């Protein structure tokens, strides 16, 4: 019996292939966007995980210097000789093409026995690994980026991406360091040890931080992607919900007959569930394949972003795990369940003799609209609560999500109210009927319109955020990159001669000396500057003490970047404890967009005194812009300086902006995809409504309106609804932008950006949404205009 | 002559050759005259009505309303004719669900730009719908809905009113009342009324009767 | 005791390409640039207690048969291996490895350490003697009077070793031949240590006394290419005499078995192939492989015919290159105690 009933149910889809395509398409699109984003995130996280397991020795604690500096080999040996099982690591960066490649110097002799890095070394059969001229191991993609090192690179499959491994001695030689970055503390320590303080007073035990930091830094980025994936998924579910609901309503006579023939309601629901499950699996598989295409297309951009913005290593290749397939199918099934829950519920309660009312599907009562409005208010309250009491990235996203959901849920009520007002204001019978009919159609279209609202609001919000960011960022770059040319000496020995040569050829030489240290517990940079008008005139200060530059020059305090100030709640006048334990007060806070690290600026003299090991080979040069090329050429000739050692302002700007563009390329792509899905939602809603609307349109036609007029009115209705939705999406989008700029960005990156409005972009988007609605409305309208009268007459002739 | 139908023929394609619905039907109707058209199910009476209403073209023959031949009319003039000259009452009422009773009654009159507020009010009272003007079709009983439909058809005071089984969906008592109302209102407004009904009892109340069988006039 | 040389090459797991077909852990390979043992050289103490970095491999190897107050038998091992990654003798080209173990009723206790040379993490100073890796030491005014310390996560030991007898050259005046084709090493021992001290076991500290044995050996190429492993014994006979013997198993056929008979006064007599016979007895399953834990040792010329039985058959060293090393008890013609080492059992 099951098979007979099932085939009776399935025959519906044979007769309505379009509905079938709609259902599958909606579900597949939803799954595709969701699983595509998930694949990207998973790939990135896997990369972090791989990196974490080698960098942190798989979650081992570490000994680090309290001043964040290198650890002397003597200290390491003293620890080993005192019974401390520790393993040294040298951690640094090699120039790669493209980007930098992390170099990890390991001691395979003392490394944790089950550590990933040691396994890699021992399993790779790498003879010639030990020693200062030993080989470097790297994954194939990473090895390609290090082609400059020639045959010192040995390719090993399965190594963490973006990281090269070398013996401690090799790393020390390549990076020109003579101390260790940190000491891994092995999990099993021997019975008898001297106290740490008795051997190495300046070392402290620390939980592994490197990978976690990366995770935290990139969290916002992944949340961003996830939010978009979720949004697209929701939009896709709107389509599915529409298709399933309609299919159920249209089959009510069949259900009724089946019930009358003795099929129980439980059997019917079970069979419909099986039917939907089959569809979900088919659509899920298609969606996953599509998702793979999306992910593969977007991953290179994502990888470039993560590398450029966060220094995180993600290779641009995608690996498919069975888990990913499974979760894709699962989300498709879950989505189907969600989208068809109400339909199944109604079937379960269907009375065998109840009349079919396809119109009822399109007509929601005022009560349900009020309930939805109530839900919207609730969402809004939750969002506001998250905004007021939150203070974390997660609460920021709750605020964001609540706001969007509230807006979407409130949309039908708001549109209904607007249409009622329009109806009341309208004169003329056709307009009156137009508005009344529009209002009547709202429930059937509301899901699609909600999808459109979300897509448009996301577009406006993200667009405003990106454009505000771009405007701020480029302005800031112009200020910040005041020097015309940046030069790095080949080595310390070259510096004096270089300075002597540059002195007469430049207006000013600004040393840019720095050390990388943990500042108040997180990775940071400490820069030294000299007192020069360049800084006074250009440095982008957000807040500052009076005479800040005079006082800085006098060694009275330090400048901190906005990220550090926000994270630690610092303001001008506060004291901060610097690495090494000394205290200095904050003289000013400056904006530092695009930098994931904390930053402190102190006078050069102080930097050199406190951190003698500071890198002192970088200089900013002020000179007439027209002289830059000549000077670069001469430096190559005179000093054999490598091209890479000289970067002019324009090149840095171009590079920074390219990172910026890539960061938001993915967002932009997802934005467009979401809008496209919303367009499809409108189209499918209109098309499904069209077939149900004949009984409503036929009398109007019979009373003396041409089909062409009716078609035109249908098209205008789609446009009017899209336009109204678009207008409503502007405030929602701006609220979204505000949340992104003032809440999410602050939590995620530590900087707050001013918000700029771009009405021209809105107009463009408005035009776009009207075009989308027109495209979506054109086909149903045309079908109506050319409908044979016989179809319309049938309305009067047949019992429905 | 208000309505002049001559030698109307219509057939529909079917699996085993065309099925003839109308096989040379002719009739005429004067202003203020009521005619009942009866016949078995499938005798072609609804099709005849649809052709007369300009909803459907005939294969051959002619329909003239107030001397205008429908055959030569395009989509737009045909729609205008429906709007201004003809009122139709359907078996299924076919009201506009998004409009309330008052708006439904006034709808065609306003389309035809012949809306007379006083007359519409009077009509509403005559139809017994005065208390229901603000209601929507779904809130009305069948008899009430059909009275709205009659009101809609009469409101523009069209010269020709067509009714297709107006009582077919109503119980006998309600049907009788609606039928009488329709006759009375047609006479009031001086319209010619062509009613399709399969009820001989109701048909007898019209000025003239005509019987269709297998697409031909038999009486 | 060249056998242990193979262990050193575990360090060459870093360069494991050489391992496999050619002998156990790659020692059969001839490598240019390292010094070769010289049959005419004679030991000079204390200089020869220190390292010989011009040779490729070298070790300081102490075993001890100990007993506690209740008569419980214990075995202790302390080993430091040196392996040169390349010839030239530079400190930074050395890799050091330490093994420490206690054989005891509650299970075999093992620790292993590795260290690179040239940074002071491991090394050997001849005079005053000091061998170390991490916090493990053999330290004393001279190698005849040392204190040894080693520990792992669950054990430690701290022992005094004293000897009055002279160091004993093995083989021909310390030139120890390993195969018919001439591979050899420099090899001397100190088999006369009196030992006392404390073992820290998971169950608590135990005071122990007993006898100890030191082996010093260095070489550059001590094995024939077909030799696949060895079995080595060092025996303290109750008579006061000592006996060292080893059998090099050869994939090509004949095993190579030699030894040294050492009088109670330390006078050595080399035992040529055929003068000492080592015969494996019953086996035990240890670490998922079959290892002979009973042996028959015969020296017909000395009327020695003893059976060795492992006191703790679980004395398995699960180190980078795994092997079996533990105390044995002797019965038969000459009762006593000793140590057994077996490598190359896969």
């Amino acid at each position: 019996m099951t098979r007979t009933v099932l085939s009776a149910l399935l025959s519906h889809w044979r007769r309505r292939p379009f509905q079938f395509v709609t259902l599958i398409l909606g579900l597949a699109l939803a799954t595709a966007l969701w699983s595509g984003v998930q694949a990207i995130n998973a790939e990135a996280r896997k990369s972090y995980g791989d990196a974490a397991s080698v960098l942190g020795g798989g979650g081992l604690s570490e000994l680090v210097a309290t001043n964040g500096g290198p650890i002397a080999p003597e200290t390491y040996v003293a620890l080993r000789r005192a019974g401390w099982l520790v393993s040294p690591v040298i951690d640094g960066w090699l120039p790669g093409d493209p980007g930098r490649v992390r170099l990890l110097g390991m001691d395979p002799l003392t490394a944790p026995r089950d550590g990933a890095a040691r396994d890699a070394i021992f399993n790779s059969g790498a003879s010639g690994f030990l020693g200062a001229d030993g080989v470097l191991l790297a994954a194939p993609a990473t090895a390609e980026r290090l082609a400059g090192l020639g045959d010192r690179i040995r390719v090993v499959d399965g190594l963490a991406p973006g990281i090269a491994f070398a013996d401690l001695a090799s790393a020390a030689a390549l990076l020109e360091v003579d101390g260790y970055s940190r000491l891994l503390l092995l999990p099993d320590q021997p019975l008898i040890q001297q106290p740490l303080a008795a051997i190495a007073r300046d070392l402290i035990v620390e939980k592994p931080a490197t990978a976690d930091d990366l995770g935290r830094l990139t969290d916002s980025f992944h949340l961003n992607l996830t939010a978009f994936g979720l949004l697209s998924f929701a939009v896709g579910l709107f389509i599915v919900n529409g298709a399933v609901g309609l299919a159920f309503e249209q089959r009510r006579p069949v259900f009724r007959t089946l019930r009358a023939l003795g099929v129980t309601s439980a059997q019917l629901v079970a069979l419909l569930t099986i039917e939907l499950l089959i569809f979900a699996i088919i659509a899920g598989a298609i969606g996953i394949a599509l998702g793979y295409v999306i992910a593969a297309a977007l991953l290179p951009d994502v990888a470039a972003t993560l590398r450029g913005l966060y220094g995180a290593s993600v290779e641009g290749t995608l690996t498919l795990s069975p888990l990913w397939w499974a979760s894709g199918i699962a989300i498709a099934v879950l989505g189907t369940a969600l989208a068809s829950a109400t339909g199944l519920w109604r079937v379960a309660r269907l009375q065998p003799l109840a009349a079919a009312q396809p119109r009822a599907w399109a007509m929601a009562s005022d009560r349900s609209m009020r309930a939805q409005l109530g839900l919207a208010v609730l969402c809004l309250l939750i969002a506001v609560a998250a905004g007021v009491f939150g203070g974390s990235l997660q609460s920021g996203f709750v605020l964001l999500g609540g706001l969007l959901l509230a807006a979407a849920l409130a949309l039908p009520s708001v549109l209904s109210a607007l249409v009622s007002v329009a109806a009341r204001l309208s004169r003329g019978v056709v307009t009156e009927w137009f508005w009344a009919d529009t209002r009547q159609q709202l429930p059937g279209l509301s899901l699609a319109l909600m999808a459109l609202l979300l897509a448009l609001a996301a577009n406006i919000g993200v667009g405003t955020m990106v454009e505000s960011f771009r405007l701020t960022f480029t302005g800031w770059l112009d200020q910040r990159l005041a020097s015309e040319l940046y030069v790095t000496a080949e080595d310390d020995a070259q510096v004096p001669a270089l300075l002597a040569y540059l002195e007469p050829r430049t207006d000013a030489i600004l040393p840019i000396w720095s050390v990388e240290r943990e500042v108040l517990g997180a990775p940071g940079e400490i820069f030294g500057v000299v007192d020069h008008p360049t800084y006074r005139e250009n440095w982008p200060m957000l807040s500052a003490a009076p005479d800040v530059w005079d006082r800085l020059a006098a060694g009275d305090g330090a400048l901190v970047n906005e990220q550090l100030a926000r994270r630690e709640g610092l303001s001008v006048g506060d004291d901060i404890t610097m690495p090494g334990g000394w205290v200095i007060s904050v003289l000013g806070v400056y904006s530092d967009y695009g930098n994931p690290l904390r930053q402190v600026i102190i006078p050069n003299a102080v930097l050199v005194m406190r951190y003698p090991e500071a890198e002192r080979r970088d200089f900013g040069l002020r000179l007439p812009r027209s002289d830059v090329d000549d000077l670069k050429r001469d430096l190559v000739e005179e000093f054999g300086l490598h091209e890479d050692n000289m970067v002019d302002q324009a090149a840095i700007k171009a590079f920074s902006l390219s990172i910026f563009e890539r960061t938001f390329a993915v967002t932009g792509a997802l934005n467009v995809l979401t809008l496209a899905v919303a367009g499809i939602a409108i189209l499918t809603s209109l098309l499904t409504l069209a077939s149900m609307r004949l009984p409503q349109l036929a009398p109007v036609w019979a009373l003396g309106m041409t089909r062409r007029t009716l078609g035109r009115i249908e098209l205008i209705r789609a446009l009017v609804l899209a336009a109204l939705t678009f207008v409503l999406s502007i405030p929602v989008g701006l609220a979204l932008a505000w949340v992104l700029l003032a809440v999410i960005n602050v939590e995620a990156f530590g900087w707050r950006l001013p918000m700029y409005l771009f009405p021209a972009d809105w107009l463009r988007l408005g035009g776009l949404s009207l075009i989308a609605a027109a495209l979506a409305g054109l086909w149903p309208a045309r079908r109506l205009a050319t409908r044979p009268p016989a179809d319309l007459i049938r309305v009067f002739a047949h019992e429905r | 002559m208000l309505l002049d139908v001559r030698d109307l023929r219509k057939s529909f394609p079917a699996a085993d050759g065309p099925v003839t619905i109308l096989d040379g039907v002719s009739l005429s109707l004067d202003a203020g005259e009521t005619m009942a058209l009866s016949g078995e199910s499938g005798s072609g009476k609804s099709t005849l009505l649809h052709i007369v209403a300009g909803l459907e073209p005939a294969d051959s023959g002619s329909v003239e309303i107030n001397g205008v031949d429908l055959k030569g009319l395009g989509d737009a003039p045909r729609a205008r004719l429906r709007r201004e000259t003809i009122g139709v009452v359907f078996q299924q009422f076919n009201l506009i669900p998004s409009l309330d009773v008052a708006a439904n009654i006034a709808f065609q009159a306003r389309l035809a730009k012949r809306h007379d507020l006083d007359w519409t009010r009077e009509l509403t009272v005559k139809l017994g719908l005065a208390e229901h003007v603000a209601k929507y079709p779904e809130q009305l009983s069948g008899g009430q809905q059909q009275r709205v439909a009659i009101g809609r058809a009469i409101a523009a005071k069209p010269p020709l009113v067509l009714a297709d089984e107006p009582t077919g969906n109503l119980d006998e008592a309600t049907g009788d009342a609606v039928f009488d109302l329709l006759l009375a209102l047609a006479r009031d407004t001086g319209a010619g009324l062509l009613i399709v009904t399969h009820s001989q009892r109701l048909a007898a109340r019209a000025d003239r009767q005509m019987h269709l069988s297998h697409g031909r006039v038999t009486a | 005791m060249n056998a242990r040389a193979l262990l050193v090459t575990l360090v060459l797991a870093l360069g494991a390409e050489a391992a496999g077909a050619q002998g156990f852990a790659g020692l059969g390979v001839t490598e240019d640039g390292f010094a070769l043992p010289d049959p005419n050289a004679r030991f000079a103490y204390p200089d020869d207690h220190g390292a010989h970095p011009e040779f490729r491999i070298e070790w300081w190897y102490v075993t001890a048969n100990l007993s506690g107050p209740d008569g419980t038998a214990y075995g202790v091992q302390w080993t430091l291996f040196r392996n040169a990654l390349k010839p030239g003798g530079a400190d930074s080209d050395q890799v050091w490895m330490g093994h420490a173990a206690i054989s005891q009723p509650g299970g075999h206790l093992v620790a292993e350490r590795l260290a690179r040379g040239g940074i002071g993490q491991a090394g050997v100073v001849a005079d005053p003697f000091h061998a170390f890796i991490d916090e493990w030491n053999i330290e004393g005014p001279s190698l005849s009077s040392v204190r040894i310390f080693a520990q792992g996560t669950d054990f430690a030991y701290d022992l005094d070793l004293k000897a009055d007898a002279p160091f004993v050259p093995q083989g021909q005046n310390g030139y120890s031949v390993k195969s018919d084709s001439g591979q050899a090493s420099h090899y001397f021992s100190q088999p006369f240590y009196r030992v006392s001290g404390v073992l820290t076991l998971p169950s608590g500290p135990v005071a122990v006394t007993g006898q100890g044995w030191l082996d010093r050996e260095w070489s550059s190429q001590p094995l024939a290419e077909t030799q696949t492993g060895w079995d080595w014994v060092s025996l303290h006979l109750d008579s006061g005499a000592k006996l060292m013997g080893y059998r090099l198993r050869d994939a090509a056929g004949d095993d190579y078995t030699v030894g040294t008979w050492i009088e109670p006064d330390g006078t050595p007599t080399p035992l040529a192939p055929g003068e000492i016979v080592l015969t494996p007895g019953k086996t035990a399953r240890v670490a998922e492989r079959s290892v002979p834990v009973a042996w028959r040792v015969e020296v017909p010329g000395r009327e020695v015919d003893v059976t060795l039985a492992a006191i703790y058959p679980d004395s398995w060293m699960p180190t980078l290159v795994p092997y079996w090393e533990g105390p044995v008890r002797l019965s038969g013609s000459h009762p006593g105690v000793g140590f057994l080492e077996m490598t190359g059992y896969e």
Side-chain angles (χ1 to χ4, degrees), chain A residues 506-530:
Chain A
T506 54
D507 299 336
I509 303 174
L510 308 174
I512 307 169
W513 295 351
S514 68
V515 284
E516 293 191 4
R517 285 286 186 279
E518 295 231 324
V519 178
L520 300 178
E525 308 160 320
I526 302 167
F527 275 90
V529 297
V530 291

Side-chain angles (χ1 to χ4, degrees), chain A residues 332-348:
Chain A
V333 170
L334 197 75
T336 312
L338 215 63
S340 46
T342 50
L344 283 174
W345 174 244
R346 276 190 214 145
V347 171

Side-chain angles (χ1 to χ4, degrees), chain C:
Chain C
M1 189 170 114
N2 49 2
R4 285 148 181 187
L6 304 181
L7 294 179
V8 175
T9 55
L10 70 83
V11 171
L12 291 185
L14 298 168
E17 286 154 354
Q22 297 173 308
F24 181 72
L27 279 204
V29 178
T30 310
E31 188 163 348
D32 291 336
F34 287 109
L36 282 171
D38 175 3
N40 300 316
R42 294 296 176 267
F43 294 124
Y45 310 115
D47 289 355
D48 279 329
H49 296 158
H52 301 78
E54 65 277 20
F55 289 84
R56 186 171 156 192
I57 49 175
E58 182 165 20
W59 56 85
W60 294 254
Y61 213 119
V62 176
T63 55
N65 291 90
L66 305 172
S67 53
D70 60 352
T72 304
Y74 298 95
V76 164
Q77 177 195 352
W78 192 110
T79 318
L80 183 63
F81 301 95
R82 180 189 62 77
N83 187 96
L85 295 174
K86 56 177 83 154
D91 281 350
S92 57
D93 290 333
Q94 312 299 318
V95 171
W96 298 83
M97 177 175 72
H99 286 176
I102 298 178
S103 300
Q104 52 115 14
H108 198 59
L109 303 166
V110 184
E112 179 177 39
R113 298 291 174 83
L114 294 168
R116 63 180 63 222
I119 59 172
Q121 189 186 344
V124 178
V125 179
D127 188 30
F129 184 80
H130 187 197
F132 62 94
I133 181 166
D134 295 341
E135 78 278 24
W136 300 1
N137 292 300
I138 303 186
E139 196 167 13
S142 78
L143 194 45
S144 297
S145 173
V146 290
R147 185 173 166 191
I148 76 174
F149 172 84
Q151 63 173 343
T153 54
D154 50 356
F155 74 94
Y157 57 76
D158 195 344
L159 304 170
D160 277 315
L161 279 70
K162 288 197 167 46
D164 302 326
F167 295 95
V168 178
Q170 305 275 18
Q172 300 299 326
N173 296 312
Y175 185 79
S176 171
V177 176
K178 304 300 184 195
S179 78
D180 291 329
S181 47
Q183 280 83 1
S185 68
H186 292 295
Y187 182 8
F188 70 84
S189 301
Q190 173 51 274
F192 295 102
Y193 282 123
R194 299 182 307 281
V195 183
S196 65
V198 177
L199 308 182
T200 305
L201 302 174
S203 55
V206 181
V208 290
T209 57
Q211 344 181 40
W213 182 304
L214 163 84
D215 272 341
R216 282 282 291 113
E217 191 162 3
W218 58 95
S219 176
S220 291
Q221 183 240 354
L223 278 198
E225 290 193 355
T226 54
Q227 291 174 335
T228 57
W230 61 89
D231 310 296
W232 172 91
V233 296
S234 62
L235 307 177
H236 301 277
L237 307 181
D238 287 352
S239 65
K242 314 284 178 182
L243 176 63
M244 188 282 293
Y246 57 84
R247 180 181 78 141
L248 286 161
R249 302 195 299 279
D250 200 317
D254 291 344
D255 294 344
Y256 185 83
T257 309
V258 292
T260 303
W261 177 265
I262 303 164
E263 299 291 348
D265 66 355
T267 309
T269 311
L271 301 172
E275 289 180 334
I276 178 168
V277 181
L278 296 174
T279 313
K282 71 160 185 166
T283 60
R285 286 297 289 177
V286 184
E288 287 162 15
R289 63 202 91 194
S290 186
V291 178
V293 290
W295 287 79
R296 184 175 178 192
V297 177
E298 295 161 277
V299 185
R302 301 279 173 179
E303 293 175 345
V304 172
D305 184 356
V306 294
T307 301
L308 276 55
I311 302 174
Y312 302 110
D314 65 347
S315 300
W316 184 256
M317 302 290 289
T319 37
L320 273 176
V321 171
Y323 58 103
W324 195 100
E325 174 112 26
V328 293
R329 190 168 284 126
L330 278 55
S331 56
S333 65
H334 292 70
V337 294
F339 248 78
L340 168 66
E341 177 180 284
M342 299 177 283
T343 71
Y345 287 90
E346 294 306 328

Side-chain angles (χ1 to χ4, degrees), chain A residues 564-698:
Chain A
L564 175 57
R566 284 197 187 273
R567 285 262 153 71
E568 300 296 335
L570 297 174
S571 47
V572 174
D574 290 348
D575 284 345
I576 50 173
T577 306
M578 296 290 287
W582 56 287
V583 175
I584 194 163
S585 73
V586 175
L587 292 176
V589 179
Y590 57 94
S591 56
D592 190 16
Y593 306 117
N595 184 1
L597 298 175
R598 299 163 168 217
Q599 207 175 70
V600 181
I601 288 179
I602 52 179
N604 239 346
V606 178
L607 180 83
V608 172
M609 182 186 76
R610 296 288 183 178
Y611 308 103
E613 69 282 4
E615 195 74 45
R616 304 179 201 189
R617 309 205 306 253
D618 295 325
F619 301 91
L621 307 180
R622 300 303 310 264
L623 69 163
R625 197 154 295 200
S626 54
D627 294 352
V628 168
D629 286 341
D630 287 343
L631 182 61
K632 277 170 78 174
R633 197 167 46 244
D634 292 349
L635 284 173
V636 173
E637 281 172 17
E638 291 285 327
F639 291 89
L641 266 191
H642 197 268
E643 274 295 326
D644 295 350
N645 286 22
M646 296 174 289
V647 189
D648 60 39
Q649 199 185 54
I652 296 189
K653 267 183 201 166
F655 177 72
S656 305
L657 287 174
S658 79
I659 287 180
F660 179 89
E661 295 301 339
R662 276 185 305 203
T663 303
F664 295 107
V666 176
T667 314
L670 286 175
N671 234 333
V672 169
L673 285 174
T674 312
L675 196 61
V677 170
I680 293 175
I682 295 179
L683 174 66
T684 56
S685 299
L686 287 177
L687 282 175
T688 48
L689 279 179
S691 60
M692 292 188 307
R693 279 178 47 69
L694 274 189
Q696 293 163 40
L697 294 175

Side-chain angles (χ1 to χ4, degrees), chain A residues 208-350:
Chain A
T210 332
D212 288 354
D213 278 355
L214 213 52
R216 208 179 58 217
L217 273 175
T218 53
D219 257 359
S220 55
F221 186 78
H222 292 302
L223 265 173
N224 187 352
L225 288 183
T226 306
F228 257 102
L230 213 55
L231 190 65
S232 312
F233 188 68
V235 168
L237 287 192
F238 288 148
I239 301 178
V240 177
N241 184 282
V244 170
L246 180 65
F248 278 21
E249 276 310 324
Q250 287 180 337
R251 284 189 293 177
R252 266 174 98 105
V254 180
F255 297 162
R256 216 170 35 173
T257 310
L258 287 172
R259 289 292 311 280
L261 293 175
V263 178
T264 68
S265 116
Q267 280 169 329
L268 192 57
V269 169
L271 286 170
L272 286 170
T273 307
I274 291 172
E275 175 194 80
L276 289 170
L277 194 66
I278 295 170
F279 292 168
I281 289 170
I282 294 172
I286 298 173
I288 290 169
L290 278 176
Y292 181 81
V293 173
I294 292 172
L298 294 182
L299 192 60
D301 272 338
V302 173
T305 301
L306 289 168
R307 194 154 58 221
L309 196 56
Y310 305 99
S313 283
V314 176
E315 298 298 353
T317 52
L318 202 60
T319 47
L320 278 183
S321 72
L323 190 70
W324 184 64
W325 280 97
S327 71
I329 297 283
I331 198 79
V333 170
L334 197 75
T336 312
L338 215 63
S340 46
T342 50
L344 283 174
W345 174 244
R346 276 190 214 145
V347 171
R349 300 193 336 170
L350 176 77

